[in-house]
């Protein structure tokens, strides 16, 4: 979205975000978006696996590896030193309130705002326990209202009505992808972690490295249901005339229903809450341009799909801005 706005000549005067929006917004405000994009697009399955530092308390991942890399890219910088006003929104669980970071350490603000419950360990500041800002405000519009800009653009990652968009396909080694998905799904299936299970996961990392070097044979994935599984191809009761997608055999393909793991259950519950809250935020402070990104274009742990997601975001941004500019003519 940022790249498409700048390509069209728009000037971004301030930025606010929560969770991944706070991370991308902070990196952009620090002038390091290109470096971050080059890094994130270069990651393959094994690279992402190596960033998973298993935690034994209050979260599946400590997050020190991935946020350590982000710190290297951004450097040591305070929010007051950024080139544009910036707000990262986090949630204070202790005092049950929304927290706005508009000064102080940029890295700590991004880390607190992106501490997804059950996934990343929370950030403790004094008597405050800080987690993902999306718990209370998944679409922080109010922080930018006071900037009095010509246009407020909001990117909603919880859209449910954008069925025309699908994730582009970028080919990767199939055998390694299956084993990686198996590992990541196992991560969610075994929460809360036990030391024995964590050691097994760490041992699997070495096994994956060996398999990649030996070009292992593709194996079935026992953990994840996908389009090839019987569960995903159960016939639907919907009539053919309703435009539902069909498989090669003519039966209707329906979305998987129900969580596949404990972490998936927590994530889906989190998504339901965020979707509802986002609708309230949009109704209370309607943005001039609302960019709706379908929340089902990828699964929870598919951090390695940066190239696909960036391409999809650019497509949605282009279509949305085309419509907005056509209406203004």
């Amino acid at each position: 979205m940022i790249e498409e706005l700048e390509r069209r000549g728009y000037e971004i005067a301030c930025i606010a975000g929560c969770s991944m929006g706070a991370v991308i917004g902070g990196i952009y405000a620090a002038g390091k978006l290109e470096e971050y994009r080059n890094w994130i697009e270069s990651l393959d399955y094994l690279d992402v696996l190596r960033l998973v530092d298993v935690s034994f308390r209050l979260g599946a991942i400590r997050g020190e590896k991935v946020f350590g890399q982000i710190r290297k890219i951004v450097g040591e910088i305070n929010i007051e030193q950024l080139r544009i006003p910036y707000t990262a929104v986090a949630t204070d669980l202790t005092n049950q309130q929304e927290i706005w970071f508009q000064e102080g350490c940029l890295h700590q603000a991004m880390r607190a705002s992106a501490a997804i419950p059950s996934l990343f360990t929370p950030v403790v500041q004094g008597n405050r326990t800080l987690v993902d800002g999306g718990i209370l405000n998944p679409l922080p519009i109010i922080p930018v209202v006071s900037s009095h800009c010509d246009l407020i653009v909001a990117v909603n990652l919880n859209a449910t009505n954008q069925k025309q968009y699908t994730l582009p396909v970028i080919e990767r080694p199939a055998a390694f992808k299956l084993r990686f998905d198996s590992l990541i799904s196992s991560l969610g299936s075994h929460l809360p972690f036990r030391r024995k299970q964590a050691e097994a996961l760490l041992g699997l990392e070495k096994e994956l490295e060996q398999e990649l070097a030996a070009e292992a044979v593709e194996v079935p994935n026992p953990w994840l249901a996908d389009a090839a599984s019987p569960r995903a191809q159960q016939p639907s009761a919907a009539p053919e005339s309703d435009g539902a997608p069909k498989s090669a055999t003519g039966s209707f393909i329906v979305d998987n229903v129900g969580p596949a793991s404990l972490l998936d259950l927590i994530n889906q519950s989190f998504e339901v809450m965020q979707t509802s809250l986002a609708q309230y935020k949009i109704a209370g402070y309607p943005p001039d341009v609302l960019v709706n990104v379908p929340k089902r274009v990828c699964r929870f742990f598919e951090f390695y799909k940066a190239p696909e997601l960036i391409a999809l975001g650019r497509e949605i941004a282009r279509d949305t801005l085309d419509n907005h500019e056509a209406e203004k003519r």
Side-chain angles (χ1 to χ4, degrees):
M1 185 68 220
I2 288 173
E3 290 177 345
E4 183 63 21
L5 283 169
E6 292 189 328
R7 189 185 71 81
R8 294 174 183 242
Y10 292 94
E11 178 185 353
I12 299 175
C14 66
I15 196 163
C18 75
S19 200
M20 198 61 194
V23 174
I24 297 299
I27 292 171
Y28 170 76
K32 301 294 184 178
L33 189 60
E34 183 177 359
E35 290 91 330
Y36 174 80
R37 176 166 43 79
N38 290 338
W39 170 64
I40 199 72
E41 286 189 326
S42 72
L43 299 179
D44 60 19
Y45 306 105
L46 189 57
D47 294 325
V48 175
L49 178 63
R50 287 169 175 154
L51 293 172
V52 177
D53 44 2
V54 177
S55 171
F56 300 110
R57 55 186 298 272
L58 299 181
I61 301 171
R62 289 194 299 273
E64 294 176 3
K65 290 184 178 180
V66 63
F67 281 99
Q69 182 63 38
I70 291 174
R71 185 193 288 269
K72 290 180 183 178
I73 294 172
V74 174
E76 300 295 336
I77 185 172
N78 286 338
I79 295 174
E80 307 94 285
Q81 299 172 286
L82 299 176
R83 56 182 180 173
I84 59 173
Y86 165 81
T87 303
V89 178
T91 299
D92 179 2
L93 290 181
T94 306
N95 300 297
Q96 301 181 15
Q97 62 184 8
E98 189 176 316
I99 301 295
W100 291 7
F101 286 94
Q102 295 179 319
E103 58 183 21
C105 176
L106 172 63
H107 179 267
Q108 190 171 48
M110 293 190 297
R111 175 65 179 86
S113 182
I116 303 171
S118 79
L119 180 60
F120 288 112
T121 55
V123 173
V124 178
Q125 286 187 342
N127 65 341
R128 303 192 305 189
T129 300
L130 304 177
V131 296
D132 196 312
I135 289 180
L136 292 178
N137 191 351
L139 199 61
I141 299 173
I142 299 177
V144 302
V145 171
S146 60
S147 64
H148 303 295
C149 292
D150 301 315
L151 207 63
I152 293 179
V153 180
V155 181
N156 175 28
L157 299 183
N158 295 290
T160 58
N161 58 346
Q162 302 295 99
K163 295 181 179 179
Q164 71 270 28
Y165 291 109
T166 58
L167 202 64
V169 176
I170 297 179
E171 293 299 326
R172 290 179 173 82
F176 190 67
K177 176 183 183 300
L178 287 171
R179 292 306 304 272
F180 179 84
D181 284 347
S182 176
L183 169 72
I184 294 303
S185 186
S186 299
L187 195 70
S189 300
H190 293 296
L191 284 176
F193 286 104
R194 297 183 177 90
R195 184 171 298 274
K196 182 189 301 183
Q197 293 164 336
E199 290 174 351
L201 292 176
L202 295 175
L204 185 53
E205 178 180 350
K206 178 179 286 188
E207 180 185 337
L208 286 169
E209 289 177 337
Q210 294 171 347
E211 286 192 5
L212 183 64
E215 296 183 354
V217 178
E218 186 170 327
V219 295
N221 187 335
W223 295 100
L224 295 178
D226 53 29
S229 69
R231 181 184 180 189
Q233 295 188 11
Q234 294 172 353
S236 169
E240 184 171 345
S241 61
D242 68 357
K246 296 200 300 182
S247 69
T249 60
S251 61
F252 289 94
I253 298 178
V254 299
D255 292 336
N256 293 335
V257 294
S261 67
L262 176 56
L263 186 56
D264 197 26
L265 171 64
I266 296 172
N267 178 52
Q268 286 188 25
S269 301
F270 191 42
E271 282 184 346
V272 169
M273 178 182 64
Q274 284 189 314
T275 301
S276 179
L277 285 172
Q279 292 172 352
Y280 282 112
K281 297 296 181 181
I282 293 169
Y285 291 88
D288 300 296
V289 178
L290 178 61
V291 183
N292 282 314
V293 179
K295 64 182 179 181
R296 291 301 180 190
V297 293
C298 68
R299 292 191 294 257
F300 190 42
F301 270 121
E302 294 179 325
F303 301 120
Y304 53 87
K305 289 191 174 180
E308 292 93 337
L309 289 166
I310 291 172
L312 176 65
R314 185 175 290 113
E315 178 187 357
I316 297 174
R318 184 171 58 246
D319 292 347
T320 304
L321 290 173
D322 282 347
N323 292 336
H324 171 73
E325 291 169 359
E327 292 174 357
K328 292 298 181 181
R329 292 193 186 107

